Amino acid sequence: MDALLACTKCDLKFDLDSDYPRCHACSEPLEVHYANIDKPQIGKGTSIFERYRDFLPFEKVNRAISMGEGNTPLIQSQIAGKTLGIGSLFYKNESINPTWSFKDRGTATGLAHALSLGFQKIGTVSTGNMATSVAAYGSRSRLETYILVSKGMPAEKLAPIAIYHPHLIVVNGDYGDLYYKSLEIGKTSGIYFINSDVPFRVEGSKAIAFEICEQLNFDMPDYVVVPVSAGGNLRGIVKGFEEFYQAGLVDRIPTMVAGQASGCSPVVNAFKRGENLISRVKEPHTIAHAIENPMPPSGNQMLRKLNKIGGLAVRVTDRQIIAAQHLMAREGLFVQPAAAVPLAVVQKLVAKRQIENDCSIVCVVTGGGLKYTAALDKFSFKPREIDIADIESEFERIACKKGSE
Ligand SMILES: *Cc1c(COP(=O)(O)O)cnc(C)c1O
Ligand SMILES: [Zn+2]
């Protein structure tokens, strides 16, 4: 397939075999461009590599890489949608992935690229889900895997990475700098860093959009809401919708909504002020740790894209995020705080009457609730304790209470 890398800002072109993810001229992120794809089609098979082969830059499909990432369910909301009076509300449940977050999609496509270039070492800079994902896939492919985390990360978050036995390195210093440092280290040490917004991770996230189109029978939703941090996922989902549109598979692109937490919302801040460049957030703080990036590497590109396609950017408070997390649990979905941000955003947009009631919305639910159980401290529940001898009377009591409700 004819593809190359192009700068998202100045359009400078680079070879597809380049493993450096940013532009040498303006340092903005690169993305994969396809030269005149002739009527690309959805293929057969269940893996994203097989189904979306025409939309991915891989000559061969390497089955050994895949752990069945993607193919996640799109579930219709039973409670929140009705409560909010929305026509149709769906959750794209990414917590079904092999390491319980959408990151596995981009890890698989990033890994495919690294292997096609002959790399024996991979790595990432992450505070959580991406580290877990890269460590798991690296271990499976028997590659030397380097995970750089910033100091101060709680043990609760380190153990789920360490279980896969990567080279786990705790670095003291600025997390944003670490992203750029890792790219330099990668060049000198022969490590392919599959960081958050590298072009081949973005290619993996496209399949979220492809699957949504297929699951809705190519009847486009009005809105797709995505919690954003580095920006790789939003970029991928938009790119997916655009490529299906260009292929003539869908007749429009949904309104894209980027969701952030009030305690760390560099994209929303710049978007609201009409600025072209994001500014670093000082002292970021939110319960949604997975999206707490004060200076996202694809921040400027998200702004360019949202402005170009008429998207929205909305911030929600930790209190609204926790309320949305509980509402989703009432419908059977236990997700991590970052993954509850889309529903919190929808609630806010409905309350402010910024979206129509008869619309259809897809919330991209990025990761599972067991990822971050410390967030449950905010939730107090006291189970009733009884003696086994009292079990009959206890159930009578519950039945009585029910009857009198
Ligand atoms: C990584 C992550 C995000 C943010 O994705 P980006 O590509 O960094 O914008 C959102 N939610 C969860 C659960 C994540 O792990
Ligand atoms: Zn450039």
Side-chain angles (χ1 to χ4, degrees), residues 6-14 22-30 304:
C7 174
T8 52
K9 184 172 184 220
C10 74
D11 206 35
L12 199 61
K13 304 289 195 295
F14 298 86
R22 303 186 77 90
C23 177
H24 294 304
C26 72
S27 96
E28 280 293 289
L30 306 181
R304 286 192 289 271

Side-chain angles (χ1 to χ4, degrees), residues 296-324:
S298 276
N300 299 334
Q301 170 56 11
M302 282 193 275
L303 285 175
R304 286 192 289 271
K305 203 73 203 189
L306 289 171
N307 283 319
K308 184 161 174 233
I309 63 175
L312 302 169
V314 179
R315 60 169 92 83
V316 284
T317 64
D318 277 13
R319 187 194 271 269
Q320 289 167 324
I321 294 169
I322 294 161

